[in-house]
Amino acid sequence: MSIAELRRDYAGRPLRREDLDADPVRQFQHWFREALETDVPDANAMALATVSADGVPSVRTVLLKEIDQRGAVFYTNYDSAKGRDLAANPQASIVFYWTPLSRQVGITGVTEKVSREESEAYFHSRPRGSQLAALASHQSAPLASRQELEDELRQLEARYQGREVPLPHGWGGYRLKPDRFEFWQGRENRLHDRFEYRLREGVWSIRRLSP
């Protein structure tokens, strides 16, 4: 079978205007709970799109760690490729795709760094191995070999045995402050339901989009 022949029909339940919460964050939280209840694998995985200073786009998968009225939070190394992009252009987009539900949610907005206190609290909530790995990895920098990375990790394990792992310099969270949401529900014959929320002067408006 060729790639062009790969297809499936979407059979999600209808999404109507009256089904939507007036607040897109609450609507997202409702759909996210349904994704968890449906046992969607890695429901908090999201594609993050950024643009470099010279206009080159990049996209990669990161994990959502918090979402509320202030925005959506993820954590990374500020010196990574995505961190350099966001330093040059703080606008970004994220997309969630939940295959079992035939749903996706896109969110666009401007990013800002979370406070060091928030980054500290999240960092020390992670498994110790993940904390040490974050300290060992100079994310996106060239690496001579896997062995080099594993040697660095072993040295850090020995150095911090019985001690708290410090928050790495240049590691922390970003909060994407949304100005646009799109909720997409797959439907039969590609006649999908799409609704867009736009923030204008502090008020969210909603409109249906053609599939």
Side-chain angles (χ1 to χ4, degrees):
M1 180 181 290
S2 70
I3 294 176
E5 293 175 300
L6 292 173
R7 60 176 58 86
R8 70 181 180 90
D9 208 7
Y10 299 93
R13 65 177 183 265
L15 180 62
R16 302 165 300 179
R17 174 63 180 82
E18 56 265 34
D19 297 327
L20 296 171
D21 195 292
D23 183 280
V25 175
R26 290 197 301 264
Q27 180 63 37
F28 176 88
Q29 291 168 338
H30 172 65
W31 269 23
F32 189 74
R33 283 193 299 271
E34 289 194 11
L36 294 178
E37 291 165 0
T38 312
D39 293 325
V40 173
D42 299 318
N44 64 328
M46 59 191 191
L48 167 68
T50 59
V51 178
S52 68
D54 52 358
V56 178
S58 297
V59 65
R60 76 290 286 162
T61 301
V62 298
L63 298 177
L64 175 73
K65 289 300 174 181
E66 180 183 351
I67 186 167
D68 57 23
Q69 296 299 328
R70 297 175 299 164
V73 176
F74 62 93
Y75 289 86
T76 189
N77 188 311
Y78 291 142
D79 297 322
S80 65
K82 68 179 88 60
R84 294 193 298 271
D85 283 359
L86 292 173
N89 181 353
Q91 296 196 24
S93 291
I94 54 179
V95 174
F96 299 82
Y97 182 55
W98 300 315
T99 303
L101 296 171
S102 296
R103 287 176 175 174
Q104 61 180 324
V105 182
I107 308 174
T108 301
V110 175
T111 58
E112 62 181 16
K113 291 179 180 178
V114 307
S115 69
R116 183 172 177 84
E117 290 75 21
E118 289 175 277
S119 293
E120 284 268 12
Y122 173 70
F123 181 77
H124 290 119
S125 76
R126 305 174 86 202
R128 186 175 178 84
S130 296
Q131 295 180 41
L132 288 164
L135 200 59
S137 173
H138 304 288
Q139 197 175 100
S140 300
L143 192 64
S145 67
R146 173 78 186 188
Q147 190 63 48
E148 178 184 341
L149 185 62
E150 292 180 352
D151 288 346
E152 176 70 14
L153 181 61
R154 277 193 292 273
Q155 292 172 22
L156 290 168
E157 287 172 338
R159 184 184 309 168
Y160 292 106
Q161 186 174 10
R163 298 164 54 197
E164 182 177 84
V165 180
L167 176 69
H169 174 73
W171 191 99
Y174 286 98
R175 177 174 285 107
L176 187 148
K177 302 166 62 177
D179 54 34
R180 180 182 183 274
F181 281 76
E182 183 181 320
F183 292 86
W184 179 98
Q185 176 65 69
R187 298 291 304 282
E188 297 85 352
N189 301 314
R190 302 298 192 266
L191 290 178
H192 312 306
D193 289 322
R194 295 174 59 195
F195 284 93
E196 177 191 64
Y197 291 73
R198 283 275 187 182
L199 184 64
R200 293 184 176 89
E201 298 180 355
V203 178
W204 289 102
S205 63
I206 305 174
R207 63 179 180 175
R208 180 184 278 272
L209 303 178
S210 174

